[in-house]
Structures are given as structure tokens and as C-alpha cells.
Amino acid sequence: MTKRIFISYKRNVRPDEQVASQVFQALSQQHKVFIDQTMSIGTRWAERIEAEIHQADFVITFLSASSTQSEMVVAEIETAHHLAKSQQGRPVILPVRLAYQEPLLYPLSAYLNGINWAFWKDAEDTPRLIDELLQAVSSSGLTTSTEKSPSSPVGEFRLPSTTVSQTTSLPHPFPSAQPVSLEMPEGTMESQSAFYVERSSDALALQTIERQGVTITIKGPRQMGKSSLLIRTIKTAVNAGKQVALLDFQLFDKAALTNADLFFRQFCTWLTDELEMTDKVAEYWNMPLGNSQRCTRYVGRYLLKEFGNPVVLAMDEVERVFDTDFRSDFFGMLRSWHNSRATTPIWKQLDLALVTSTEPYQLIDNLNQSPFNVGQVIDLEDFTAVQVADLNRRHGSPLNPNQEQQLIALLGGHPYLIRLGLYSVASARLSASELFANATTDNGLFGNHLRNHLFRLHNKQELVQAMFQIIRQNICEDERIFFRLRGAGLVRREGRVVLPRCQLYAEYFREHLCG
């Protein structure tokens, strides 16, 4: 039977593009296979890619040292992962490691660690790889699997059973970066990283978490280092003798985010698993109470009471709840836990640490029900010129002073893009002149990052129209839309003027949205 297959890979790098092309040619003889090399001129590529993933039975993703750092590849895997959870396991993800045996970093580890992969060492492996992929696509008996170690033999692909609880097998989102002299800029940074830039707000977060019964909110646009600061905060909490339960809300599936009862139950189950306690959620859910009341009784009367030691509930990407119908119930519950510390001693054992890239005040109608305006609020800001200069020195000064200023003029103080630029020049992946000459092109250093933003914008017409207005007129008439764009890290405000976040974004989106 003919299947629809989507191939996800990193463009313009070897061996990724070559192997992907060979697999495409071979599988296309029996199946309908999509690879972005086949798109004709004028195709609205972002719409086409999303449509193809939605229609696919299988997504073959090629994992290499380059592709695992690709925002577009991660976005495609993320899209397939969430679709599979809402569409009876389709598309099935088939990972292929291309001479790459390192542990996957989060979030790829969360999406792929439970899936067997095929290994390609060199060109001699290509025929065998094609045979394995054909067998996996034609197989009708996909069964439960656990992650294989990089040294284990290649086996057939299997899909983890969709009946297994998604909360009891979730991996801990800690990075596993290699100890190298230079450090890739993607993902959450380890707490001891030599390239971590401490900002004034860091000390405030670390000092706060050492106290008992505290609430911390870490806010900032995407790729500002919020999760990295959270990891450092968690390490400080552990050193202070606290137990940490880290929940990344990206891992809640769409079903849970549309069903309050399912969400609150999964929240309690996941928290129980993080604390390695016996799951008694069903017992508490038999009570004729609302979801937030059941959850509060479960945490206060069972988890905290039985655990007996201080607990930090760390919640990353909580903006995933902002678009739900039950957001006020959930965040009102967290606020009540914060308030209860004043009257009920057991709640002093629970610290709350929340991370969000979206401005919560715009989405919670009653601020007395918000956990985001109490305790210690940390607003992360872009790097300063002094911090950029210091980071340049840590990379071995790959940029001279004039080039350093040119980088700041192009990127502002965007933490991720600054690190990407410095890393790429320091590691001799390209020269400084090549970085600046091709900055806004799809094949340039930032092309993958820019394409990812365009991919995420393409079907959100209100955001596209707002970006168009900001680029042309420096205004945004809808305050909620402004905060969504700022949360995505695309825009900033200076007084009453709204601007693209940096020159790179202004030039790229002027061409692709306004052209």
C-alpha cells in the first residue's frame, strides 16, 4: 500500500542532504514522498511543509550534529510529535542517526528517546538504510520500544504504545552537552557552562530560592535564557536540600489542553511521578469537587504531607495554558497555594517557580487570581554591549571591535543569535564577512532561525498583519497581539513606538511579509 512520507533534514550540509536525497529517490518508487527540494518556485513553503506533515503517515528525520541544532528540524519533529498524539499515532516518526551517537538534547530527547532509530555510518550503509526504511514503512506491527544506547545494534523501527501514560515516562529535561572548548548555542545551558552570561537578575533568583516558601516568575521572550536560569535556580534549590519536580508544559498534549479534567489529573500524576511517590490521583478524583479543589487537596493532604520535605514545583513554558478555557482555574489555584502559606504551614513546604514567554497580565482577567504578580518576578533582558564584548572574549575574540559593534547593530542584544554568531565564527564554520554578507538569506547563518519564525507565523494571519503594521508604521493597534509577538521574541517597544526586535528581523520580514 502506498504511504505518504515526509523527509525532515538539515539543508546544505553533508552528509544530511545527500543521504536524504538518496532515500527520497529510492522510496519515491513505491510511496508518495515529500522533500523540500521538490517545491516549485513561488510555493508558499511554510504552508506546504505544515500541510505535508499533517498528511504524512511517516516522518523520516535525519539526526546529525548539524540537524539536531536546526530550529526547523526541531519544529518539524515537534509538529509530527503533537500530531501523532492527537491522530491515533500518525505520523509515525522514524529517526535516522547520521554518524551521530551523542545523547539528544532537550526537547528532542522528549520527542525521540522512546523511539528506536536506524544508524548510518557512511555511504556503504545507504542501501541497508533504505531497506530498513522500506521495511518500517510497510510494517503493520509497530510495538512498544525503549530507547537504545548508541552502541546497540540497529533494529527495526517501533512506535511507543499510545496507551502508555504520557506522564509516567517523560524524561527529565536536563541537557547532556559534550564537554568541549566551544559550546553549541542551542538549548538549555548546563549550570556550569563557561559561556553562560550572568545578568543582574540571576543573583535575585538564586537568593530567593534558598528561602523557604517562595514564588518566582521568570519572564522574557523566546531564546532569552529563561530555561537556563531555571536550571541554575533548580541546582541552587537542590544544594539547599530541596526536592525539585520539573514539569515542562510543552509536553502536555493537545487533548489535555482542551479538557480541564484530563489536564488537572495529568498534572497531579506527573507531579507524583516526579516525586517518585505512589499515585493516588484516582482516589482523590472520586470526590464531588471541582478540578482545582481536587488538585489542591491531593497536593496538600497527600503529596506534601507524606513527602515531608521542602519541594520546588518548577514549571517551564506555562504559556501553553494561556489559551485554554481553564487558565483562570489553574493559575488561580497556584495563586491560592501561594496565599495559603500565610495560614497553613504545610504550604510553606512548597516553592513555585514559573517560566513564561508570554505576558500573563493580558490573559488573566482577575489579577487577584494570578501567581505572576506575587513573590519575586524576574524580567530577563537582552545582553548589553559589555556582556557581548565579554562573551566575544570567552570565544577567543573571533570578532574585532568593529565587527563586534556590527554584530550588535545587526542583532541588538539577542542572547541566542549573539551566541550563534560568535560560536560560528570562533569554530571557523564561516568568516565574519560571510556572516554579515548573508545574514538575511535562507542559506546564511541565521536562515534556519528566520525560516522557523516564518513557519510559525504563516497560518496566524492576525500576527502576520500586526508584523506588517509594525514594520511599515511602527505601531501595533492590538495590545494582546503585541504581547504575543513580544513573547515570540520578534518585537520590542520604545516608548509608544513598536519596532522589530533587531535589524535582522526588520530586514528579513520586510522582504518576506511586505514584499
Side-chain angles (χ1 to χ4, degrees):
M1 180 183 297
T2 300
K3 302 291 187 181
R4 296 186 70 106
I5 301 170
F6 181 96
I7 294 181
S8 173
Y9 71 106
K10 179 71 167 70
R11 300 170 65 189
N12 303 315
V13 299
R14 299 178 66 91
D16 304 45
E17 188 162 341
Q18 288 72 24
V19 178
S21 296
Q22 290 173 306
V23 168
F24 167 74
Q25 294 294 335
L27 270 61
S28 293
Q29 298 177 29
Q30 300 180 36
H31 303 284
K32 186 175 179 58
V33 186
F34 173 83
I35 190 171
D36 65 2
Q37 297 170 358
T38 63
M39 287 190 288
S40 58
I41 296 174
T43 300
R44 298 176 67 88
W45 63 265
E47 294 179 10
R48 177 73 184 280
I49 286 175
E50 183 168 43
E52 291 289 343
I53 296 176
H54 274 74
Q55 297 175 63
D57 298 301
F58 294 88
V59 169
I60 299 172
T61 182
F62 290 96
L63 305 173
S64 67
S66 296
S67 71
T68 54
Q69 309 299 328
S70 165
E71 290 182 72
M72 271 305 301
V73 170
V74 173
E76 289 164 355
I77 293 171
E78 177 186 1
T79 300
H81 169 81
H82 289 304
L83 281 173
K85 294 176 78 173
S86 62
Q87 295 184 165
Q88 290 75 50
R90 290 295 184 269
V92 176
I93 301 175
L94 305 179
V96 178
R97 286 176 173 263
L98 297 178
Y100 181 71
Q101 302 190 48
E102 307 303 334
L104 295 176
L105 299 181
Y106 182 81
L108 284 181
S109 59
Y111 303 144
L112 302 179
N113 274 359
I115 306 175
N116 277 6
W117 38 264
F119 185 76
W120 179 97
K121 181 179 180 181
D122 52 36
E124 294 182 359
D125 278 343
T126 302
R128 175 193 50 77
L129 173 64
I130 291 172
D131 288 341
E132 287 189 358
L133 289 169
L134 285 169
Q135 181 181 359
V137 169
S138 63
S139 173
S140 59
L142 301 175
T143 57
T144 303
S145 170
T146 57
E147 181 186 14
K148 300 184 302 181
S149 68
S151 59
S152 64
V154 176
E156 66 182 49
F157 291 97
R158 297 186 179 95
L159 178 71
S161 170
T162 56
T163 61
V164 177
S165 169
Q166 296 298 320
T167 56
T168 58
S169 60
L170 293 170
H172 296 272
F174 287 92
S176 306
Q178 297 298 303
V180 294
S181 56
L182 287 177
E183 184 177 295
M184 295 289 284
E186 284 82 359
T188 303
M189 302 178 70
E190 291 189 344
S191 57
Q192 69 272 25
S193 169
F195 297 94
Y196 183 87
V197 176
E198 289 193 17
R199 286 167 274 194
S200 58
S201 53
D202 283 32
L204 195 55
L206 303 187
Q207 291 167 6
T208 300
I209 202 63
E210 290 181 332
R211 303 200 303 267
Q212 188 74 29
V214 296
T215 298
I216 300 173
T217 296
I218 302 173
K219 295 193 305 175
R222 285 187 71 247
Q223 299 176 316
M224 283 289 289
K226 300 183 301 299
S227 296
S228 296
L229 175 55
L230 179 64
I231 293 301
R232 292 170 67 85
T233 303
I234 285 172
K235 181 179 181 182
T236 301
V238 171
N239 291 340
K242 300 180 180 182
Q243 176 72 28
V244 177
L246 174 57
L247 311 185
D248 187 329
F249 281 38
Q250 288 186 102
L251 300 182
F252 276 109
D253 55 31
K254 290 184 178 179
L257 295 173
T258 56
N259 183 316
D261 185 67
L262 181 59
F263 173 84
F264 279 91
R265 290 188 67 143
Q266 284 195 4
F267 176 84
C268 289
T269 299
W270 192 359
L271 179 55
T272 306
D273 182 64
E274 287 291 309
L275 296 177
E276 300 182 350
M277 296 178 66
T278 302
D279 188 339
K280 295 186 178 181
V281 173
E283 176 183 333
Y284 280 77
W285 240 254
N286 289 329
M287 302 176 184
L289 299 170
N291 286 311
S292 58
Q293 293 170 305
R294 291 166 175 163
C295 191
T296 297
R297 288 169 65 91
Y298 183 77
V299 173
R301 299 190 183 187
Y302 172 52
L303 293 183
L304 294 180
K305 183 178 179 181
E306 294 296 324
F307 193 75
N309 294 317
V311 173
V312 178
L313 173 52
M315 294 166 280
D316 203 358
E317 302 278 354
V318 295
E319 62 266 25
R320 288 269 290 169
V321 181
F322 288 154
D323 289 331
T324 68
D325 294 334
F326 52 82
R327 63 173 179 261
S328 292
D329 291 338
F330 178 70
F331 291 119
M333 178 187 73
L334 297 183
R335 172 64 177 263
S336 76
W337 294 357
H338 169 89
N339 293 341
S340 293
R341 296 180 187 131
T343 57
T344 310
I346 193 70
W347 290 102
K348 292 181 180 179
Q349 290 183 198
L350 180 67
D351 298 328
L352 300 174
L354 302 99
V355 176
T356 176
S357 62
T358 303
E359 182 56 70
Y361 307 134
Q362 300 296 311
L363 298 161
I364 299 177
D365 296 329
N366 183 355
L367 293 184
N368 292 323
Q369 290 186 313
S370 172
F372 301 103
N373 56 357
V374 293
Q376 187 62 63
V377 179
I378 307 293
D379 262 309
L380 289 188
E381 298 180 349
D382 280 352
F383 290 162
T384 65
V386 172
Q387 289 168 333
V388 173
D390 175 54
L391 197 54
N392 186 32
R393 286 192 293 271
R394 296 193 212 180
H395 282 82
S397 298
L399 303 183
N400 63 41
N402 288 336
Q403 292 168 335
E404 188 180 290
Q405 291 304 311
Q406 191 176 355
L407 188 70
I408 294 173
L410 177 67
L411 305 177
H414 193 303
Y416 166 69
L417 295 182
I418 290 288
R419 289 192 64 225
L420 178 60
L422 292 174
Y423 169 82
S424 300
V425 179
S427 59
R429 295 195 170 196
L430 78 174
S431 66
S433 59
E434 290 172 330
L435 182 155
F436 296 118
N438 301 316
T440 60
T441 67
D442 281 345
N443 292 331
L445 175 63
F446 307 115
N448 185 269
H449 171 84
L450 295 168
R451 282 165 56 88
N452 181 49
H453 271 304
L454 203 59
F455 175 69
R456 294 180 183 276
L457 280 176
H458 84 273
N459 62 348
K460 301 175 178 64
Q461 196 56 40
E462 72 280 7
L463 299 184
V464 172
Q465 291 174 353
M467 279 298 295
F468 181 90
Q469 186 181 50
I470 291 166
I471 291 170
R472 288 291 180 87
Q473 303 175 42
N474 297 140
I475 60 173
C476 184
E477 295 175 344
D478 189 321
E479 193 72 354
R480 288 198 173 202
I481 294 296
F482 164 75
F483 281 113
R484 289 182 66 183
L485 289 172
R486 192 179 75 166
L490 293 174
V491 303
R492 59 190 171 91
R493 176 177 279 157
E494 291 185 2
R496 296 183 178 181
V497 176
V498 181
L499 302 166
R501 177 152 174 213
C502 59
Q503 179 185 333
L504 178 73
Y505 289 169
E507 294 180 6
Y508 183 80
F509 289 113
R510 183 179 293 112
E511 177 182 351
H512 288 80
L513 297 181
C514 307

